[in-house]
């Protein structure tokens, strides 16, 4: 069981991420993190890795992006002793929502959060499994801005660096990925 960041085997976690070609559509090389989630040691190390980045940052809420951000985000929130808040796709949240619409390659998409999900000025960390073009995370940052969150950090398990997604994210917020391809 790792107790410090030094014991975390990033290379092993990287090796466990599985490439699935042409999913969910032709031309996409899908980075499947389920082998990492399945392995109790690797899952523990991933959550600890994020925990050590954030433990002194006085985070109040971990905000996870649907849907793999929920898995990592809720484990991280538990470890940090914070609450967990979901960013969901349109129409999934039952209460009053704030939404943000953003452009896709073809068409648009909408994400939502409950209007009372966080209190104005709350210190939050945003987390998702993977940063690709950055569209989803950028939209989530804008939504958090509408809710007047104090965004402390943005965390990803995987970053596809060749897509330069981090350029779309707020440059004054610490953005960190554990593994890069
Ligand atoms: P993007 O908005 O392009 O940064 O895409 C990020 C979202 O799509 C994340 O929630 C990822 O889970 C998912 N995603 C995008 N590309 C991939 C990929 N190659 N492999 C796995 N998930 C991906």
């Amino acid at each position: 069981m790792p107790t410090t960041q030094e014991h975390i085997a990033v290379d092993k976690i990287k090796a466990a991420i599985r490439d699935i070609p042409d999913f969910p559509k032709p031309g996409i090389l899908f980075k499947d993190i389920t082998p990492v989630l399945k392995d109790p040691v690797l899952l523990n190390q991933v959550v600890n890795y994020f925990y050590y980045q954030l433990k002194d940052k006085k985070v109040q809420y971990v905000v996870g992006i649907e849907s793999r951000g929920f898995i990592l985000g809720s484990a991280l929130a538990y470890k940090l002793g914070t609450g967990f808040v979901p960013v969901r796709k349109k129409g999934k949240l039952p209460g009053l929502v704030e939404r943000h619409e953003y452009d896709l390659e073809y068409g648009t998409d909408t994400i939502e959060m409950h209007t009372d999900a966080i209190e104005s000025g709350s210190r939050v960390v945003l987390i998702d499994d993977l940063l690709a073009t950055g569209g989803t995370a950028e939209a989530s940052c804008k939504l958090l801005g509408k809710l007047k969150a104090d965004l402390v950090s943005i965390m990803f398990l995987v970053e596809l660096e060749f897509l330069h997604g981090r350029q779309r994210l707020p440059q004054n917020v610490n953005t960190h990925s554990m593994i890069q391809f």
Side-chain angles (χ1 to χ4, degrees):
M1 195 74 72
T3 52
T4 69
Q5 198 171 332
E6 285 69 35
H7 296 113
I8 293 173
V10 174
D11 287 352
K12 271 195 182 159
I13 295 163
K14 187 170 188 173
I17 294 170
R18 181 168 61 173
D19 284 349
I20 310 274
D22 299 318
F23 183 87
K25 50 186 176 183
I28 305 278
L29 184 63
F30 191 85
K31 296 287 182 191
D32 178 21
I33 65 162
T34 60
V36 178
L37 300 177
K38 177 186 171 186
D39 184 312
V41 174
L42 299 187
L43 177 59
N44 186 279
Q45 293 197 348
V46 166
V47 177
N48 282 351
Y49 179 88
F50 290 126
Y51 170 74
Y52 287 116
Q53 308 281 331
L54 296 162
K55 68 183 176 62
D56 300 321
K57 304 242 175 186
K58 299 186 170 66
V59 174
Q60 291 170 283
Y61 298 107
V62 175
V63 178
I65 302 176
E66 187 168 351
S67 57
R68 286 176 294 274
F70 294 176
I71 302 166
L72 300 175
S74 51
L76 176 62
Y78 180 81
K79 178 100 189 173
L80 283 169
T82 71
F84 174 80
V85 171
V87 172
R88 297 220 62 178
K89 303 203 170 113
K90 191 177 176 178
K92 303 279 186 183
L93 289 169
L96 202 60
V97 295
E98 185 71 73
R99 56 174 59 100
H100 185 78
E101 187 178 292
Y102 60 105
D103 291 328
L104 298 173
E105 200 176 345
Y106 302 103
T108 63
D109 219 339
T110 303
I111 50 168
E112 297 179 338
M113 290 175 71
H114 277 142
T115 52
D116 62 355
I118 59 162
E119 300 76 36
S120 171
S122 298
R123 290 174 66 79
V124 308
V125 54
L126 180 67
I127 188 165
D128 201 2
D129 67 324
L130 185 140
L131 175 65
T133 66
T136 315
E138 180 189 27
S140 303
C141 291
K142 291 197 168 141
L143 189 49
L144 285 168
K146 288 181 186 176
L147 294 183
K148 300 192 169 47
D150 180 3
L151 182 54
V152 173
S153 199
I154 310 170
M155 294 282 164
F156 301 95
L157 175 53
V158 179
E159 177 176 4
L160 303 183
E161 284 185 317
F162 55 92
L163 293 173
H164 306 294
R166 69 167 58 223
Q167 290 175 5
R168 297 173 64 171
L169 305 181
Q171 297 302 305
N172 59 340
V173 178
N174 165 54
T175 298
H176 192 79
S177 58
M178 185 178 187
I179 287 157
Q180 300 79 33
F181 288 100

